Amino acid sequence: MNRERAETFLRLLAEAEFREPARPPLPAPPGRLPRVMMSVALTRAAWALTAAGALDPETAQAVLADTDLALAARHRPEPPEAGMISSAGPGRAAGSASPGRAGGPIGAGRLARATFPARTGWRTPRADVSAPLAPAAPQGGPDRYVPIGRLVRFHDETISAEFGLMSYAHTASGARLIAAWHARDPLSSGRRGPPPVDAFTVTDDRGNRYALLFDTKGRPEPTCDLSLRPDPPSGIRWLDITAPGEQAVRVDLDRLADFPAPEVSDTDFSAGEHLLNRIAERLLTLAPEFPAQLATMAPVSLTSLTAGLGVAIAALEAAEVLSPLSPVPGRLATLCASLGVRDHGITAAPAPDLPEPWLSMLSHYHRRKPDTAPAGDGFAAVAAALPELDGIRLVLLGLHNCDGDTWMNALTLGSWVDRPVNHGPLEATFPLSIWVRDSTGRWHVARSTGWHREPGETSFTMRLTPPLTRSCTWIEVRATGPSAEVRATVPLCWAYP
Amino acid sequence: MTFGTNGPWFTCLPGCETEVPCGTGRHTVGWEAGSLRLPSHPDAEGELVLAALGGEKARCVELAEAWARHADDLSVLAIGPRGPADEIAVGWDDVIAAAQAGQAAGQAMGTGTAIGPGPAQPGPRLASQPGPTMARAAARRRQMQEQVLAAQRRRNDILSLLALGYGFQVRLIGQVAATHAAQHGGEQVRPALVAAITGRLAPVAEEWLGIDPDQVVVSLHSGRSWGSTELTGYGAGRRLRVSLPAGWLACVWACGLARVGRHLIVAVQEPGWPTARVLGLRSPGAPPEPLDVHADPDGPGNVPHWTI
């Protein structure tokens, strides 16, 4: 990795902005000054270099802010959130006002925005990438993960609800049951809010009583945490959960997760390749949103994700985090061609040897029946703590199908959890690529959709594309980080409301 | 033969002046021999003391402070002009509008001022919320306020310096480049210096050779010689590879000497005004020739024009 070359590349790209012919300003409402624009190529290159760790976000932000002010000072149009590096990646530029350019909100004045970064000196300190990683799990913590697979029902005159208990997790942040839940009005079958879990009684094998707290923790609606208060002692053997008017449901906490030991292996991906692979995954998850185009092989409009990819690849090569001989840019070009994505700017020749998971998803899309057999609602008890990967420990805590989608619930522990949140959403800062191979051999890519940060850990839910079917009896989860990969085979036993 | 200059970087630059709105009138601000001068404020230090006691600070004095604050700021190279044709259209109206917008933003954040961090606004404290959480939130809010206001102050500084006009802009660029050249900047500053030289050399090279500016490749020269030039490849693969020291920006480019006649000037041997001896290249790879160059002492001082 060559940080100096990375920064030089970005600064020279910014210099090229000034040599482009001046473009007419975009129309602006009366009383407002014209919009100013910065090229998508520049913002993409900045994003790629920071995402690959070749450039610290503060430096990239400073370069963009200088360019923003320099363009504004020359009567050029204004970029959106100039100077702010979004780790959300290329997709965050959706809605560009014109192809290949990042449009922005109209400001009060071309020079009035306070996006120029504050610096005590010219340069902000770089992140210490060599800093030792924090422990993957709280030291001496009571970490415990148990698959459950029980259903707790509740009925009264106004609500009929079920909690599918997928797993029990006890970490330094406390003990909770991870559940898929469903509630409806018995008279109208309309959906309802969560049932009154504070009326449930919970006792353990030692006679301790607990209250339940309902919390979605930023997850999609049908998933929740039922936290136990007070925090139970470690080593309890079971919990009895009793909803008002219902029989107690015993939750066995001595049950061991029964799956083979995960396999860990080194990967030989460079930081740039890892980033490009994640962009490919993003493309594969977005593609189903264009079923008509996929069916007819018509061009898919993913410009917001793919514009400037060629420059981003050049930036990664300049920073020496991507070898000019790497096959990944060529694979990405093939993938774009297969999905009908154009204007990506990748100059590498398309490579025929696509990874098996990509081929699996492409063949699924091109069979033109991605949605012909939606999975029925249900959940599978899962509790699998995977070995640490690049400072992250991933814990799988349940799968559920809802409304034709499959969701995988998880928890992560490790140093990355405590990184500043202003560097972008978890989806972009989460450094693992997660794929799932089902018992029929089909591959599914996981994309995080909702998360909740707590000190030392993050709860989040991933959506699998395409969804799993209920006939699936096991899955192999493959999590890949910048330096290693872990594979874990997890049996699935589905339960249905 | 040594290729360093025998005097300060600005020896080939005449003084220059402009007028700025200050208080209710317009005052002259000048630059002479590397320093900003405020003839209308003979006791600027005394005015600063009064300002610290609550008096209003004159814009001229603020400008002098901004000049000093940014005398080694590499952002000046990224934002400032690349050449006489690169017009920066920032006027005092823009500076005032930006300052007013910043003041409004400061008031919206609860500080009531655009240029100071202001008091922390802890907000109401709820009995149900734990103290440490509130303290953290207040600290975070205070930090954000300080960052925004510092950014606003910095932006206002830069805009004010740009509003002084091209003559002052190139002199500040020269000052920044000379500062970093003297410090033999390392990895931390090399990217900015390479980009700054590239951005200013490329249009000159286009006039000199007719080469596409995108085909100019610059590296930072750190030896005792003036550097090197080499023309390689052809067609789309043609490249003009130039290695120059950071001081070239100050001693040559900022003094308006980048191209004189048909020569690319790479160093100044005997600096002076309005006559100097420089080293010029007639073509890439050719040995540098000593050239006696002359500027019109009665010409516009802001943008010196040199002839052989």
Side-chain angles (χ1 to χ4, degrees):
Chain A
M1 185 179 297
N2 189 326
R3 291 174 176 274
E4 183 178 338
R5 287 194 63 192
E7 184 180 340
T8 304
F9 182 94
L10 190 63
R11 288 186 178 276
L12 291 176
L13 202 59
E15 280 299 325
E17 293 274 297
F18 299 102
R19 294 199 289 271
E20 286 187 14
R23 292 169 294 275
L26 296 175
R32 298 289 184 90
L33 289 163
R35 296 169 68 176
V36 184
M37 295 188 298
M38 194 177 334
S39 77
V40 167
L42 183 62
T43 53
R44 296 296 157 82
W47 171 80
L49 291 171
T50 52
L55 196 61
D56 59 85
E58 292 82 6
T59 300
Q61 190 167 316
V63 172
L64 292 192
D66 284 351
T67 308
D68 169 40
L69 184 54
L71 288 171
R74 290 163 173 79
H75 282 298
R76 299 281 178 86
E78 232 165 286
E81 300 172 9
M84 303 303 290
I85 294 288
S86 166
S87 302
R92 302 295 285 188
S96 290
S98 62
R101 312 295 299 181
I106 298 169
R110 68 192 173 94
L111 302 169
R113 289 166 308 121
T115 55
F116 207 63
R119 287 169 286 175
T120 49
W122 170 68
R123 181 179 288 265
T124 50
R126 283 181 166 150
D128 182 3
V129 293
S130 62
L133 296 168
Q139 290 296 310
D143 291 11
R144 187 180 186 191
Y145 310 104
V146 183
I148 297 178
R150 300 299 306 271
L151 205 60
V152 176
R153 291 193 166 90
F154 171 76
H155 301 278
D156 67 11
E157 301 80 19
T158 61
I159 190 169
S160 172
E162 296 99 20
F163 286 100
L165 304 181
M166 295 182 283
S167 59
Y168 171 86
H170 195 176
T171 67
S173 292
R176 64 277 203 187
L177 298 153
I178 291 84
W181 68 280
H182 179 72
R184 62 185 179 277
D185 185 331
L187 298 178
S188 70
S189 76
R191 292 206 171 189
R192 286 288 311 267
V197 295
D198 51 347
F200 291 17
T201 59
V202 182
T203 56
D204 67 15
D205 57 300
R206 302 175 190 179
N208 300 315
R209 293 175 66 88
Y210 305 96
L212 287 180
L213 299 178
F214 178 95
D215 193 346
T216 63
K217 291 192 172 176
R219 293 168 163 145
E221 187 173 302
T223 318
C224 69
D225 274 14
L226 299 174
S227 300
L228 274 66
R229 294 291 184 273
D231 203 35
S234 58
I236 56 173
R237 298 175 56 207
W238 48 257
L239 291 169
D240 271 347
I241 303 176
T242 310
E246 306 284 344
Q247 294 259 336
V249 174
R250 175 150 299 185
V251 173
D252 180 8
L253 300 181
D254 272 346
R255 180 182 170 190
L256 295 175
D258 183 21
F259 64 94
E263 296 174 15
V264 182
S265 56
D266 291 338
T267 58
D268 54 3
F269 291 128
S270 66
E273 288 176 326
H274 187 60
L275 180 67
L276 295 182
N277 282 336
R278 297 193 63 214
I279 291 173
E281 290 162 15
R282 187 86 172 88
L283 274 172
L284 286 164
T285 58
L286 285 177
E289 295 176 16
F290 302 90
Q293 288 94 327
L294 285 173
T296 60
M297 289 300 289
V300 173
S301 178
L302 291 174
T303 307
S304 61
L305 180 64
T306 57
L309 261 182
V311 174
I313 288 169
L316 296 171
E317 289 179 353
E320 298 174 11
V321 291
L322 180 69
S323 165
L325 303 176
S326 168
V328 179
R331 290 174 185 162
L332 200 50
T334 303
L335 180 63
C336 287
S338 300
L339 294 173
V341 174
R342 297 173 181 168
D343 301 325
H344 46 69
I346 301 174
T347 56
D353 60 329
L354 295 191
E356 183 190 337
W358 298 12
L359 286 172
S360 170
M361 289 190 68
L362 284 173
S363 63
H364 172 74
Y365 293 149
H366 292 152
R367 278 200 300 270
R368 304 178 193 178
K369 54 174 187 177
D371 300 316
T372 51
D377 289 1
F379 67 95
V382 171
L386 307 187
E388 179 183 313
L389 267 186
D390 295 301
I392 300 174
R393 190 168 195 205
L394 182 67
V395 185
L396 306 177
L397 291 172
L399 275 168
H400 70 277
N401 284 343
C402 180
D403 294 338
D405 284 319
T406 300
W407 308 88
M408 185 158 67
N409 303 283
L411 181 70
T412 61
L413 308 152
S415 59
W416 80 277
V417 171
D418 295 323
R419 287 179 193 170
V421 293
N422 61 352
H423 287 169
L426 175 131
E427 180 191 357
T429 58
F430 187 56
L432 299 185
S433 156
I434 299 176
W435 285 84
V436 168
R437 185 166 64 95
D438 68 24
S439 49
T440 66
R442 186 193 291 177
W443 286 88
H444 312 254
V445 65
R447 180 186 167 202
S448 60
T449 57
W451 52 85
H452 178 77
R453 288 174 187 261
E454 291 176 280
E457 64 184 57
T458 295
S459 306
F460 69 113
T461 300
M462 295 170 278
R463 183 165 70 178
L464 298 187
T465 305
L468 292 174
T469 62
R470 295 199 302 198
S471 61
C472 175
T473 54
W474 54 262
I475 56 172
E476 179 191 83
V477 178
R478 192 184 77 178
T480 307
S483 67
E485 174 180 285
V486 60
R487 290 173 185 250
T489 301
V490 182
L492 298 182
C493 181
W494 293 93
Y496 309 105
Chain B
M1 179 189 291
T2 62
F3 296 93
T5 59
N6 298 318
W9 68 271
F10 44 76
T11 308
C12 295
L13 269 176
C16 67
E17 287 183 353
T18 188
E19 285 197 337
V20 304
C22 183
T24 56
R26 295 182 74 82
H27 288 169
T28 298
V29 172
W31 179 95
E32 188 75 48
S35 300
L36 209 64
R37 293 170 49 247
L38 309 177
S40 302
H41 299 268
D43 186 18
E45 287 187 7
E47 290 190 45
L48 282 175
V49 172
L50 289 176
L53 295 173
E56 191 172 346
K57 197 184 292 182
R59 169 162 291 137
C60 292
V61 176
E62 286 181 341
L63 267 172
E65 288 184 305
W67 185 280
R69 274 196 293 270
H70 296 277
D72 64 349
D73 181 0
L74 289 168
S75 288
V76 167
L77 308 184
I79 297 166
R82 272 59 175 170
D86 180 22
E87 187 186 352
I88 292 184
V90 176
W92 290 108
D93 288 347
D94 293 313
V95 175
I96 292 165
Q100 287 172 343
Q103 202 157 22
Q107 284 164 351
M109 293 184 72
T111 64
T113 173
I115 56 170
Q121 303 289 319
R125 184 180 176 115
L126 303 178
S128 59
Q129 289 181 298
T133 303
M134 290 295 293
R136 276 198 301 272
R140 200 161 44 239
R141 186 161 179 263
R142 192 162 51 247
Q143 186 186 10
M144 283 180 61
Q145 286 174 347
E146 288 170 359
Q147 287 175 346
V148 168
L149 292 170
Q152 187 62 46
R153 184 192 295 119
R154 182 174 164 76
R155 193 178 184 89
N156 292 347
D157 271 4
I158 298 273
L159 292 177
S160 298
L161 295 170
L162 292 175
L164 288 170
Y166 184 78
F168 286 82
Q169 292 162 10
V170 295
R171 283 161 175 80
L172 183 56
I173 288 170
Q175 181 66 60
V176 172
T179 301
H180 288 282
Q183 293 171 351
H184 304 290
E187 177 195 344
Q188 295 254 314
V189 298
R190 275 199 299 263
L193 291 172
V194 167
I197 297 175
T198 305
R200 288 161 180 84
L201 178 67
V204 174
E206 184 179 25
E207 294 172 1
W208 182 44
L209 297 175
I211 193 169
D212 184 335
D214 288 337
Q215 294 177 322
V216 176
V217 180
V218 169
S219 59
L220 208 56
H221 180 70
S222 57
R224 286 183 61 81
S225 66
W226 63 269
S228 64
T229 60
E230 182 186 18
L231 192 61
T232 62
Y234 58 90
R238 193 181 184 213
R239 295 287 181 273
L240 173 64
R241 300 184 187 280
V242 183
S243 180
L244 289 170
W248 179 86
L249 270 181
C251 302
V252 177
W253 181 87
C255 297
L257 283 162
R259 191 173 68 95
V260 180
R262 294 183 178 180
H263 292 81
L264 176 74
I265 308 303
V266 293
V268 178
Q269 268 191 323
E270 295 174 17
W273 168 264
T275 300
R277 172 164 283 197
V278 298
L279 289 179
L281 301 180
R282 185 174 282 275
S283 60
E289 304 170 26
L291 302 168
D292 291 322
V293 295
H294 312 277
D296 178 4
D298 299 322
N302 282 356
V303 191
H305 179 71
W306 299 83
T307 54
I308 296 174

